[in-house]
């Protein structure tokens, strides 16, 4: 049997990253499509995959990791829709509908961050880690959780970016958080735009010694400690644009240890902390490779049944 071709889509608020890949994690062809209106964006996505199919061969499955919130309840009428997103024009969007009209194959679908967690679990820094948490800190903050290697959904799906954390005294010119829903939730305080807004300049412009990073490490560590105590993860992967600041990793690890204050002895939280809080092994490709992994799982499920 020929190696199957899987279509992967990382659906983001700025762009849709599209690719064709194989079950060993190789990407054959990739394309970026701007996120405009659902009609236009999805038309271009369909056109790309029709072209890709002509060039490379029949697509066997799709994997889609998307911004949300998403409806992931199998029995819901709006199953697999984007629901209450703040992104204008994208509320209640049937993302898969137009694709399914053109491609009659199995579809895997999950949040962008559950998908990135799956990519890291399959090929990256999260191999053999259970539970695994993947958090991205960029334009927003999002987190995915895998338990037994499967994305956690539950009543909704994890929305780690909107955790409330304790207030700390801040020297920021604008100390309050900017989340339109919660003000000072973690996204409201330390996403890229939150840093820019609260500290008065783009996050990438601050040198490593700037006090904004000490505050960042404390606030993020508060969130990570709460997650660690709740979910007992074996590893936490931190990705996204802001985490390109590599000096943050040792600061965050130290803060997590300081806040835990020796409660529970665990190798992962002591000498092993360098392997507990880590950057993505797949770099900025975690999302698209995660979508590929979702597609592979969808194909395997159909083949097993
Ligand atoms: P998105 O979240 O839109 O997918 P990114 O993960 O690249 O995209 O996040 C973009 C945000 O990350 C912006 O707010 C930007 O200011 C911030 N950012 C990007 N690169 C850096 C960097 N090297 N240092 C600090 N912040 C950065
Ligand atoms: Zn919020």
């Amino acid at each position: 049997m020929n190696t199957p071709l899987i279509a992967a889509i990382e659906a983001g608020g700025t762009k849709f990253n599209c690719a064709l890949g194989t079950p060993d994690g190789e990407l054959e062809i990739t394309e970026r499509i701007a996120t405009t209106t659902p009609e236009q964006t999805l038309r271009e996505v369909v056109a790309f995959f029709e072209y890709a199919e002509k060039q490379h061969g029949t697509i066997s499955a799709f994997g889609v990791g998307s911004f949300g919130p998403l409806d992931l309840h199998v029995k819901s009428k709006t199953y697999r829709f984007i629901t209450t997103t703040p992104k204008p024009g994208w509320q209640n969007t049937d993302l898969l509908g137009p694709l399914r009209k053109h491609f009659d194959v199995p579809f895997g679908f999950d949040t962008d961050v559950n998908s990135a967690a799956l990519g890291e679990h399959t090929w990256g820094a999260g191999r053999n880690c259970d539970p695994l948490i993947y958090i991205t800190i960029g334009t927003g903050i999002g987190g995915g959780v895998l338990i037994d290697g499967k994305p956690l959904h539950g009543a909704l799906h994890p929305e780690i970016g909107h955790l409330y954390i304790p207030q700390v005294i801040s020297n920021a010119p604008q100390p309050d958080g900017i989340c339109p829903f919660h003000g000072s939730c973690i996204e409201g305080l330390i996403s890229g735009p939150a840093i820019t807004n609260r500290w008065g300049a783009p996050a990438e412009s601050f040198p490593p010694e700037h006090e904004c990073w000490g505050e960042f490490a404390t606030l993020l560590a508060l969130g990570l400690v709460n997650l660690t105590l709740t979910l007992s993860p074996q590893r936490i992967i931190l990705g996204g644009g802001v985490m390109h600041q590599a000096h943050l990793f040792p600061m965050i690890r130290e803060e997590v240890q300081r806040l835990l204050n020796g409660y529970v002895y665990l190798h992962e939280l002591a000498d092993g902390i360098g392997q507990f809080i880590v950057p993505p092994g797949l770099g900025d490709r975690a999302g698209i490779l995660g979508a590929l992994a979702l597609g592979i799982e969808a194909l395997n499920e159909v083949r097993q049944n």
Side-chain angles (χ1 to χ4, degrees), residues 165-267:
I165 47 176
Q167 296 270 324
V168 295
I169 293 166
S170 174
N171 291 330
Q174 145 68 292
D176 295 334
I178 63 162
C179 174
F181 295 92
H182 318 111
S184 295
C185 66
I186 197 158
E187 177 172 297
L189 289 167
I190 60 163
S191 63
I195 297 170
T196 304
N197 213 282
R198 296 178 59 246
W199 289 91
E204 44 272 68
S205 69
F206 293 111
E209 59 279 6
H210 192 277
E211 64 179 325
C212 73
W213 298 124
E215 186 202 60
F216 178 98
T218 299
L219 294 171
L220 181 55
L222 283 163
L224 299 187
V225 164
N226 289 344
L227 289 169
T228 300
L229 296 173
T230 310
L231 292 169
S232 188
Q234 285 188 321
R235 189 162 289 165
I236 300 176
I237 299 173
L238 302 177
V242 180
M243 292 311 301
H244 287 156
Q245 301 277 337
H247 70 277
L248 287 172
F249 280 91
M251 294 170 74
I252 295 161
R253 291 176 189 132
E254 203 175 299
E255 275 297 279
V256 165
Q257 286 178 323
R258 187 181 69 79
L259 291 164
L260 280 167
N261 197 25
Y263 184 71
V264 296
Y265 178 79
L266 205 59
H267 170 72

Side-chain angles (χ1 to χ4, degrees), residues 12-17 31-37 40-42 44-45 87 90:
T14 323
K15 60 191 180 311
F16 275 45
N17 281 331
E31 175 80 332
R32 285 171 163 215
I33 290 163
T35 309
T36 54
T37 62
Q40 185 182 352
T41 305
L42 293 172
E44 288 178 26
V45 170
K87 175 95 188 150
W90 286 80

Side-chain angles (χ1 to χ4, degrees), residues 8 35 74 108 116 124 128 145 160 209 223 247:
T35 309
V74 179
N128 303 315
V145 179
I160 286 168
E209 59 279 6
H247 70 277

Side-chain angles (χ1 to χ4, degrees), residues 115-204:
S115 161
L118 189 64
E120 288 289 334
H121 191 259
T122 313
W123 295 296
R127 274 178 268 200
N128 303 315
C129 295
D130 178 40
L132 175 69
I133 301 179
Y134 176 95
I135 300 177
T136 178
I137 304 164
T139 307
I141 298 185
V145 179
L146 299 190
I147 296 180
D148 289 337
K150 300 267 174 248
L152 177 64
H153 294 158
L156 176 68
H157 43 70
E159 281 285 346
I160 286 168
H162 296 274
L163 286 178
Y164 282 109
I165 47 176
Q167 296 270 324
V168 295
I169 293 166
S170 174
N171 291 330
Q174 145 68 292
D176 295 334
I178 63 162
C179 174
F181 295 92
H182 318 111
S184 295
C185 66
I186 197 158
E187 177 172 297
L189 289 167
I190 60 163
S191 63
I195 297 170
T196 304
N197 213 282
R198 296 178 59 246
W199 289 91
E204 44 272 68

